[in-house]
Each structure stands twice: as C-alpha cells, then as structure tokens.
Amino acid sequence: MDEKRDTLFESGASDPFRFDERVSRVFADMIARSVPGYGLFLEVLAVLARRHIAAGDHVYDLGCSLGASSLAILGATRDRDYRLTAVDNAPTMIERVRETLADLNAPQHVEVIEADIRDIGFESPRLAVLGFTLQFLEPATRLELLRRLAGAMPDDGMLVLAEKVHFDSAATQAMQTELHLEFKRLHDYTELEIAGKRQALENVLVTDTVAEHEARLREAGFARVTLVMQAFNFVTLVAERT
C-alpha cells in the first residue's frame, strides 16, 4: 500500500471529513498521530481475541478501514480455524484492506465486504469489533445497530467498542481536550492542521460519554459492560451478552 504522511490539513480549513482516497492513503499515519493509545488498543484487542475466539467461531470487524483490527485479531489466533468478516462502506478502504488480507496464508476464512454496517445481517458473531466506528454513525441509528448485533450473538458473544468520548464535567472535558491537543502537537501536527481537522470533523464525528455508551449497550441487550482501557478521551469497552 502507498501510505503517506498525513498533511491533509496543512492549509487549515477543509471540507467535511470523508473516508475518500486522500484519507485512505494517509490513514495509518493519521490515526497513529491522532488517537492516543491506538497501538495499545490493538494489543488489547489481540489479547481479547486470543482469550475469546475458538475454532468454528465467526468474528466481525465492523468499520474495518485499513484492516488493522483484523490483522491484530488474526495475528493473535494463528492456530485457530474460524471465519472473519471485515466490513467498511468506503471503497478506497476496502480496496486497500483486500490487498492487505489477500495473501496471509492463514487458516482463517477471511471475507471483506463493502457495505454499510447498518445494512448487513450478522451470522452468530462470537466476537465483534467496532473500532472508532460508532462515533461516525448518526446517533439515532446507533442503538438499532447494537441491538441487532447483540440479538445475533450467542450467549457468550462479546463486543469490543473503541470510541472517542466526551465528559459531563466541564473541567474534566477541558483537561482531556488539552491533553489530546498536546498529543497531536507531540506528533508534529501544527496548530493550523489541528484547527483544520477539528473543523472537518465537526458534526461528522459525534461523541458520547462513557455512561451513555454503557446505558445504550445494556439497552441493546448486553448484560455486562467493562471499561478495559482509557487514553485521555479515547476508551475501549468490552460488552458481554451474559
């Protein structure tokens, strides 16, 4: 893949954020430099996959982008024969993830689907991943997706949900926002780039609080929700059916 350094916002103002060809070519660099703890999230996901996935299971990577979550899962479970379905609605992302996953020579059956995750059916997912995906869906559609996903899972099914969040406390929100900005500065984003990306993501990436996520997951049919990781204003939750 022809991955490049993210300079999309070096001129500041930008159109609303879209997962197009320009973004797909720099996405690996963008997410590494924009999401605190992203590498650790992939390690946590690998641990959860290694502990939870067994032969014959069906695993879903929903909103797979370039396939980093799929690769983390597959790498941690090389000895097991199961199905993995990776789904994304961005054609340029799907093209690149197909290239990445095509020649793994792994025992797993891997299927890559170009579709909106709200439109597909789920076939008994024992593990599903929503890695920084739900935040890009219209808030009114989030519960129904989670409800369908939970309803299709076996009793021991698990969802791994990673999201950017906001906080009810104004002081906490201010501190977490500044820490996130400092993280971006540390990774050589300029103030103009930071402002440009913020403008591009306004009304495109819509966050919830951790409490809102937990309540929605329980309403959807998950019995237990556990916060397993937090890096500033980014969290990973594990939701279990029973």
Side-chain angles (χ1 to χ4, degrees):
M1 288 185 294
D2 182 19
E3 293 174 357
K4 296 185 176 181
R5 187 168 176 83
D6 175 23
T7 59
L8 297 184
F9 304 97
E10 61 184 357
S11 62
S14 177
D15 294 331
F17 190 89
R18 295 174 58 246
F19 288 97
D20 55 16
E21 174 63 25
R22 294 169 64 247
V23 168
S24 70
R25 293 186 66 181
V26 302
F27 188 70
D29 181 70
M30 177 187 290
I31 197 166
R33 294 168 60 209
S34 300
V35 178
Y38 182 67
L40 181 56
F41 158 70
L42 294 175
E43 291 189 58
V44 168
L45 179 57
V47 169
L48 292 167
R50 187 175 179 85
R51 184 173 180 83
H52 196 67
I53 296 172
D57 284 345
H58 197 167
V59 177
Y60 284 84
D61 182 3
L62 301 172
C64 63
S65 61
L66 296 179
S69 291
S70 292
L71 289 173
I73 293 167
L74 293 167
T77 55
R78 295 185 185 93
D79 57 334
R80 299 164 211 182
D81 184 359
Y82 60 89
R83 297 173 61 195
L84 186 146
T85 300
V87 187
D88 203 285
N89 67 348
T92 57
M93 292 290 193
I94 285 295
E95 178 182 350
R96 289 168 182 268
V97 77
R98 281 178 175 149
E99 294 172 3
T100 301
L101 299 178
D103 299 316
L104 291 180
N105 295 318
Q108 298 87 358
H109 172 72
V110 178
E111 181 181 21
V112 180
I113 299 173
E114 181 185 333
D116 189 314
I117 61 174
R118 293 166 292 189
D119 295 335
I120 67 169
F122 300 113
E123 299 177 20
S124 193
R126 187 145 187 271
L127 177 69
V129 182
L130 282 164
F132 310 103
T133 299
L134 201 67
Q135 61 199 23
F136 289 104
L137 303 184
E138 293 88 347
T141 70
R142 297 174 185 180
L143 176 59
E144 178 58 25
L145 170 66
L146 295 173
R147 184 179 282 133
R148 289 198 306 106
L149 188 56
M153 282 183 169
D155 289 344
D156 58 354
M158 173 188 290
L159 169 65
V160 181
L161 175 67
E163 290 277 289
K164 183 180 181 180
V165 298
H166 66 264
F167 303 87
D168 288 328
S169 163
T172 300
Q173 181 62 47
M175 182 185 73
Q176 295 283 16
T177 297
E178 182 54 37
L179 290 172
H180 187 205
L181 293 176
E182 201 61 49
F183 176 86
K184 291 182 179 181
R185 296 178 188 119
L186 178 67
H187 289 277
D188 298 323
Y189 279 118
T190 67
E191 298 302 317
L192 193 61
E193 287 177 303
I194 291 169
K197 188 174 182 183
R198 183 190 300 118
Q199 179 181 337
L201 286 170
E202 188 174 1
N203 300 321
V204 176
L205 191 164
V206 180
T207 60
D208 294 304
T209 65
V210 171
E212 286 170 334
H213 279 298
E214 291 177 343
R216 184 189 295 118
L217 287 164
R218 290 195 175 91
E219 185 177 355
F222 292 96
R224 182 167 59 171
V225 182
T226 305
L227 176 67
V228 295
M229 175 186 159
Q230 179 172 347
F232 304 144
N233 50 345
F234 291 81
V235 302
T236 301
L237 300 166
V238 170
E240 298 169 275
R241 285 287 286 125
T242 59

